[in-house]
C-alpha cells in the first residue's frame, strides 16, 4: 500500500471530522476544541456569535479536505488525473488560507484580549 493512499484516507477522515465538528458546534452551542485552546475558550466573550461566524466556514474546509482526499484516492487507485491534481492543490490551499484568515478574524472579534 502506497504512503499516498494512507495520506489520502487520513485527509478524508480529518475533513469529514471537521465538517461534523462544525455541524455539532452549531447544534450544541459549544465551541469545538479543534478551533480554540482551553485558555482561549475562557476568553470568548460571545460564544454564539463566534459559532455563527465560523461554523459554516469550518464545514466548508472539511468538505474541501474530504474532496481533496477523495480525488487523491481516485488519482492513486483508479486513473491518473493529470493536471487536475494541481488544480485540486490550489483550491485546497486557497480554502485553507481563507479559513485561517477567517479564524484569525473571529479570534480578534470574539475573544477578549485579557
Amino acid at each position: 500500500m502506497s504512503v499516498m493512499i494512507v495520506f489520502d484516507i487520513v485527509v478524508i477522515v480529518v475533513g469529514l471530522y471537521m465538517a461534523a465538528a462544525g455541524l455539532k458546534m452549531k447544534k450544541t452551542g459549544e465551541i469545538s476544541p479543534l478551533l480554540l485552546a482551553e485558555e482561549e475558550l475562557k476568553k470568548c466573550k460571545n460564544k454564539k456569535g463566534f459559532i455563527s461566524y465560523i461554523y459554516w466556514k469550518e464545514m466548508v474546509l472539511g468538505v474541501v479536505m474530504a474532496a481533496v482526499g477523495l480525488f487523491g484516492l481516485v488519482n492513486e487507485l483508479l486513473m491518473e488525473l493529470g493536471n487536475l491534481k494541481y488544480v485540486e492543490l490550489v483550491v485546497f490551499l486557497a480554502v485553507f488560507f481563507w479559513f485561517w484568515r477567517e479564524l484569525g478574524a473571529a479570534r480578534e472579534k470574539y475573544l477578549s484580549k485579557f
Side-chain angles (χ1 to χ4, degrees):
M1 181 182 286
S2 168
V3 172
M4 287 310 294
I5 293 172
V6 173
F7 178 74
D8 290 330
I9 291 169
V10 169
V11 169
I12 291 170
V13 170
V14 170
L16 293 174
Y17 182 77
M18 286 195 74
L23 186 61
K24 181 181 177 191
M25 196 167 48
K26 171 71 171 159
K27 286 186 175 187
T28 64
E30 293 297 319
I31 298 173
S32 172
L34 285 173
L35 299 179
L36 296 178
E38 189 69 35
E39 303 82 43
E40 290 178 310
L41 285 172
K42 295 174 187 172
K43 295 179 183 179
C44 188
K45 53 188 173 185
N46 182 355
K47 207 186 269 194
K48 282 188 175 189
F50 181 87
I51 290 169
S52 67
Y53 183 84
I54 204 74
Y55 86 93
W56 68 270
K57 295 168 184 170
E58 182 180 12
M59 290 175 62
V60 168
L61 177 63
V63 168
V64 168
M65 284 181 70
V68 165
L70 188 60
F71 280 129
L73 278 180
V74 167
N75 187 55
E76 291 291 321
L77 298 174
L78 300 176
M79 64 181 176
E80 179 70 30
L81 296 178
N83 289 335
L84 184 60
K85 61 186 172 188
Y86 300 115
V87 173
E88 159 197 342
L89 177 64
V90 169
V91 168
F92 170 73
L93 289 175
V95 170
F96 176 78
F97 286 117
W98 164 76
F99 178 76
W100 183 49
R101 189 188 72 221
E102 292 297 317
L103 183 58
R107 282 182 168 143
E108 182 126 345
K109 185 175 182 179
Y110 295 103
L111 271 60
S112 64
K113 305 288 186 217
F114 304 103

